[in-house]
Amino acid sequence: MLDVARIRADFPLLGQPENGRRLVYLDNAATTQKPQAVLDAVAEYYRTTNANVHRGAYDLAIRATEAYETARAKVAAFVNAWAPEGVVFTRGTTEAINLVAGAYGRANVRAGDSVVVTAMDHHSNLVPWQLLCQEKGATLRMVEITEDGRIDLSDFGRALERRPKIVAFPYVSNALGTVNPVAQLAKLAHAGGAVVVVDGAQSTPHLKVDVRAIECDFYALSGHKMLGPMGSGALVAKPELLEAMPPYHGGGEMISRVWDDHSTYNKIPHKFEAGTPNVEAAVGLAAAIAYLERVGPERIADHERALAAAAIDKLVQIEGVTVYGPRDHRAGVVSFTYGDIHPHDIATILDQDGICIRAGHHCAQPLMRRLNVAATARASFYLYNGLDEVDALVGSLVKAGALFGYVPA
Ligand code: C6P
């Protein structure tokens, strides 16, 4: 296990009491807290380096551009991207996937084609494809999941028989914690002639990610879920695909020459970064990556797996509790229900003990339908959580159960 006390000391917000109790922050799949190193990097950027990037002829602007481009290289190295110019900064995973659907999808999907997603996809990796398919008259095919919350490989195979243009799936499910066999899925999808889009919102913060080993074509990530600032994120793509794609947004920076009635475009990745970018977010994300690298992505993954396993072992012993998702190949996300207690009630009661969990459909309504629930409660762990917080979660849940007349085992 990681030295949690030492790590927690790096996170100012975690030292702040919540409802008069020690804060137990277990909503890391939604967003993570930020270490002092990230806060400092952002403040330092504004104190010493701020200017608009890629435009200035003066030294300050050159330093700001360098900071921004160094951050791009940092993101590229962290996920073993094909090249730094294959990293497009976005506001997060949602914008990255919309970019792929709006630019690659619009240029390549035609009436009668199919696009494949899975029943465990977050709305961010579903609705952009719905919009695309509706616009083009294409078919959206949703691959089913198994009873224990994995992608159903036989249904995946059936979906590929139609030779879809695009196949999209999550690396890690935000509502089940399932770690999908992404390299295998990408291989199958490529054999079926598709381009592969991986939603990396929940994998990049928690696993050692190697986009070239996965052999996907597009990979989306959110910086705020990996200790970085809100509004940070990226699309990581094969450069040749970005080169061939039309632009997504129009405006400054993305152009080469502009005439009255048409324009030529900048080289990648700038072709996809119209307007003044969020330099602060990029700089903060680079500092977050440096922090994660110091701790070690593999050690973080092991730590979270241990916390999730301990939580599941304890939760399943409480009569009336159902834990969703597989028992193996899972990350530090634990979704559960407790009898007929509404997950929102569970979250509110836990909050009185200073424990933050998420309750709801987790932006995965098709998945909730398949689980036959409207919502679940969800605890999601990160590097600064400890086993004592698993105990706090379970203890508070037992108290909640008692309030609703459930007798703990
Ligand atoms: N899931 C959660 O609590 P953005 O909002 O763009 O940073 O990330 C969207 C997104 C995409 N894919 C997956 C698998 C995700 O988990 C998320 C964000 C949060 O689960 C907020 S709903």
Side-chain angles (χ1 to χ4, degrees):
M1 301 289 289
L2 296 170
D3 183 348
V4 170
R6 214 169 131 192
I7 291 174
R8 278 182 85 87
D10 293 335
F11 290 78
L13 190 144
L14 294 177
Q16 169 184 286
E18 191 65 24
N19 283 330
R21 312 288 290 265
R22 175 194 174 215
L23 171 63
V24 176
Y25 185 76
L26 301 180
D27 196 15
N28 294 290
T31 198
T32 59
Q33 300 307 337
K34 320 302 173 197
Q36 190 63 48
V38 169
L39 307 181
D40 288 347
V42 171
E44 185 67 7
Y45 169 75
Y46 281 122
R47 250 194 320 260
T48 63
T49 321
N50 180 52
N52 209 330
V53 295
H54 298 133
R55 291 160 174 81
Y58 47 91
D59 191 55
L60 188 60
I62 292 167
R63 292 206 309 276
T65 303
E66 271 167 16
Y68 186 60
E69 292 305 324
T70 304
R72 193 189 307 281
K74 191 89 186 155
V75 174
F78 190 59
V79 297
N80 197 24
W82 295 273
E85 57 269 25
V87 175
V88 178
F89 281 120
T90 64
R91 283 188 292 124
T93 300
T94 305
E95 192 180 38
I97 294 172
N98 274 280
L99 194 167
V100 181
Y104 181 88
R106 281 177 127 185
N108 290 283
V109 173
R110 293 187 177 72
D113 285 344
S114 83
V115 172
V116 171
V117 294
T118 77
M120 67 167 74
D121 269 299
H122 186 278
H123 298 163
S124 292
N125 203 23
L126 169 58
V127 182
W129 305 119
Q130 291 177 344
L131 293 172
L132 173 70
C133 289
Q134 282 157 12
E135 180 185 318
K136 295 290 180 175
T139 304
L140 188 64
R141 167 71 152 87
M142 187 171 278
V143 173
E144 289 304 328
I145 55 163
T146 61
E147 286 265 297
D148 65 346
R150 301 171 209 264
I151 291 173
D152 182 336
L153 289 179
S154 358
D155 198 39
F156 191 75
R158 282 192 291 279
L160 295 180
E161 282 167 13
R162 213 174 140 177
R163 295 193 69 79
K165 280 281 161 65
I166 297 169
V167 174
F169 45 80
Y171 195 156
V172 173
S173 157
N174 69 315
L176 294 168
T178 317
V179 179
N180 291 312
V182 280
Q184 182 190 358
L185 297 175
K187 201 169 180 185
L188 291 168
H190 280 151
V195 153
V196 173
V197 182
V198 176
D199 174 349
Q202 299 294 348
S203 45
T204 327
H206 307 286
L207 305 173
K208 173 109 190 84
V209 171
D210 183 335
V211 295
R212 278 191 269 178
I214 298 169
E215 288 194 58
C216 58
D217 298 291
F218 296 102
Y219 183 93
L221 63 92
S222 292
H224 71 95
K225 293 185 197 292
M226 48 191 284
L227 311 182
M230 288 291 189
S232 63
L235 171 68
V236 181
K238 285 187 177 153
E240 63 271 23
L241 287 173
L242 290 179
E243 299 275 10
M245 278 157 60
Y248 177 48
H249 288 152
E253 181 58 23
M254 52 75 73
I255 49 85
S256 171
R257 313 280 317 260
V258 177
W259 312 96
D260 287 9
D261 60 352
H262 74 282
S263 303
T264 55
Y265 305 120
N266 204 342
K267 55 188 195 305
I268 63 163
H270 312 295
K271 183 168 81 173
F272 296 101
E273 292 182 357
T276 299
N278 191 345
V279 183
E280 155 195 345
V283 167
L285 177 55
I289 289 175
Y291 188 96
L292 292 172
E293 284 173 340
R294 278 197 296 279
V295 181
E298 284 101 344
R299 290 175 67 217
I300 294 171
D302 286 347
H303 181 77
E304 290 171 8
R305 263 193 295 271
L307 292 176
I312 293 170
D313 280 353
K314 292 189 172 167
L315 289 174
V316 294
Q317 284 172 40
I318 305 173
E319 203 181 317
V321 168
T322 305
V323 175
Y324 299 90
R327 290 292 174 272
D328 57 357
H329 295 99
R330 59 153 41 250
V333 172
V334 181
S335 254
F336 59 93
T337 49
Y338 191 172
D340 60 0
I341 313 176
H342 196 286
H344 283 158
D345 288 334
I346 295 177
T348 305
I349 295 166
L350 264 57
D351 184 42
Q352 287 161 12
D353 288 336
I355 302 171
C356 304
I357 62 162
R358 185 166 173 196
H361 54 62
H362 313 298
C363 300
Q365 289 184 6
L367 174 66
M368 294 295 125
R369 275 184 212 106
R370 282 153 177 90
L371 299 178
N372 283 316
V373 292
T376 71
R378 183 191 71 183
S380 50
F381 301 99
Y382 209 11
L383 73 173
Y384 41 61
N385 295 124
L387 284 168
D388 56 332
E389 291 175 299
V390 171
D391 291 339
L393 167 76
V394 173
S396 195
L397 193 64
V398 168
K399 266 180 22 196
L403 282 176
F404 281 82
Y406 286 88
V407 183

